[in-house]
Amino acid sequence: RPPSITVIDTASGTVKGSVPVPDAWLGIAFAPRGDRVYVGGGSKASVFEFTFAGGALTAARTFAVASLDKVSGHEMIGDVTLSPDGRLIYAADLYHDSVVVINPQSGMMIERFKTGRRPYRMLFHPDGKSFFVTSWADGTLGHYDAASGAELARVPLGAHPTDILWRNGGPADPVEGEPTFAARLFVAAANTNSVYAVSVNSAKDLSVVERINIAMTARQPLGMTPSALALSPDGKRLFVACSDGNVAAVVDVSGSLSRVEGF
């Protein structure tokens, strides 16, 4: 009120500045060189570009997803990410159940890829050739080809999946008969008390290998609302923001089975 983007100095915790935006919701991403920032424009059906220098943001271009004179009340641009090479912008178009692709050189939308219902968070595979999307309304994780948008896989998870992150590495002590994998995706499901671990093998096959219960007690009713995730720098601990528990759960993910250490 009004929507804004704030720059905070992490060393001192002081606010360096704040710039207004016509609207915003979830998405914000830096260009690889760190000189530009892209922001999902929420109900304005756009992606906003800012230049970034000396700790200050300056409004630059607006990339319209829908014609600005035809924007209705049924528009919401959420998450924004860039391809690993920084050449293309991918933005989640929630109400149209799709991801749009924008060329920042021309400023034009060049592709629209169909996804599950209400795409929330996007994450690129490290090779840059495919990306993952959590779908709020479907309760699924989708995997898509970055060039064609073709669906490569879809995995059912819990209700209202939100954040997603990638952790390299397979099982520390592989058990005969259990699936082997090269990496895991961790996905928070906000309408559950769970974070799902999805294995990714060298062929990019997906399989749910673990459901991590982050409730305070084993039989606690729903209500932790896991909504955001982060890994420690060494990759051994997963931190889960529990929005309605008012805590962050700490999970040891260094072994084959995860263990909640505390809150």
Side-chain angles (χ1 to χ4, degrees):
R1 261 181 132 55
S4 62
I5 308 297
T6 299
V7 180
I8 299 172
D9 182 271
T10 54
S12 64
T14 57
V15 173
K16 301 281 287 184
S18 184
V19 294
V21 289
D23 197 22
W25 185 54
L26 174 72
I28 185 167
F30 271 93
R33 291 189 299 178
D35 59 343
R36 294 183 186 272
V37 176
Y38 298 96
V39 177
S43 64
K44 300 304 181 182
S46 300
V47 173
F48 302 121
E49 179 188 64
F50 293 84
T51 59
F52 183 69
L57 288 170
T58 304
R61 297 174 294 172
T62 296
F63 305 135
V65 173
S67 177
L68 295 181
D69 60 353
K70 296 180 180 178
V71 173
S72 67
H74 199 68
E75 305 288 349
M76 180 61 72
I77 299 299
D79 196 21
V80 173
T81 190
L82 277 79
S83 56
D85 60 11
R87 296 176 63 183
L88 296 173
I89 301 167
Y90 289 69
D93 191 344
L94 271 73
Y95 292 155
H96 297 284
D97 302 332
S98 59
V99 165
V100 297
V101 185
I102 297 168
N103 183 331
Q105 283 73 42
S106 67
M108 301 294 292
M109 186 180 78
I110 59 174
E111 296 283 1
R112 179 182 290 275
F113 299 146
K114 191 68 176 174
T115 65
R117 294 173 57 213
R118 304 296 187 265
Y120 183 86
R121 181 70 83 182
M122 300 176 293
L123 177 70
F124 262 88
H125 189 287
D127 68 9
K129 296 179 180 179
S130 60
F131 61 94
F132 305 92
V133 180
T134 54
S135 294
W136 244 357
D138 283 349
T140 62
L141 172 70
H143 188 197
Y144 304 90
D145 183 271
S148 68
E151 183 176 289
L152 304 176
R154 179 177 294 276
V155 179
L157 301 174
H160 213 133
T162 52
D163 205 8
I164 174 177
L165 58 77
W166 175 281
R167 182 188 187 276
N168 275 322
D173 301 303
V175 177
E176 186 175 352
E178 293 293 318
T180 58
F181 47 85
R184 279 175 292 175
L185 294 164
F186 292 103
V187 184
N191 283 12
T192 74
N193 287 339
S194 300
V195 174
Y196 290 79
V198 180
S199 68
V200 186
N201 65 15
S202 57
K204 294 189 176 182
D205 298 321
L206 306 182
S207 179
V208 177
V209 291
E210 190 177 15
R211 179 176 177 175
I212 306 167
N213 183 2
I214 54 157
M216 296 284 186
T217 63
R219 300 184 65 182
Q220 177 188 331
L222 301 182
M224 294 300 283
T225 317
S227 56
L229 304 171
L231 275 175
S232 60
D234 61 9
K236 293 182 178 180
R237 285 186 172 86
L238 175 72
F239 298 89
V240 185
C242 303
S243 294
D244 289 316
N246 297 324
V247 296
V250 183
V251 186
D252 183 343
V253 293
S254 60
S256 297
L257 291 176
S258 302
R259 181 175 61 88
V260 177
E261 295 184 317
F263 301 91

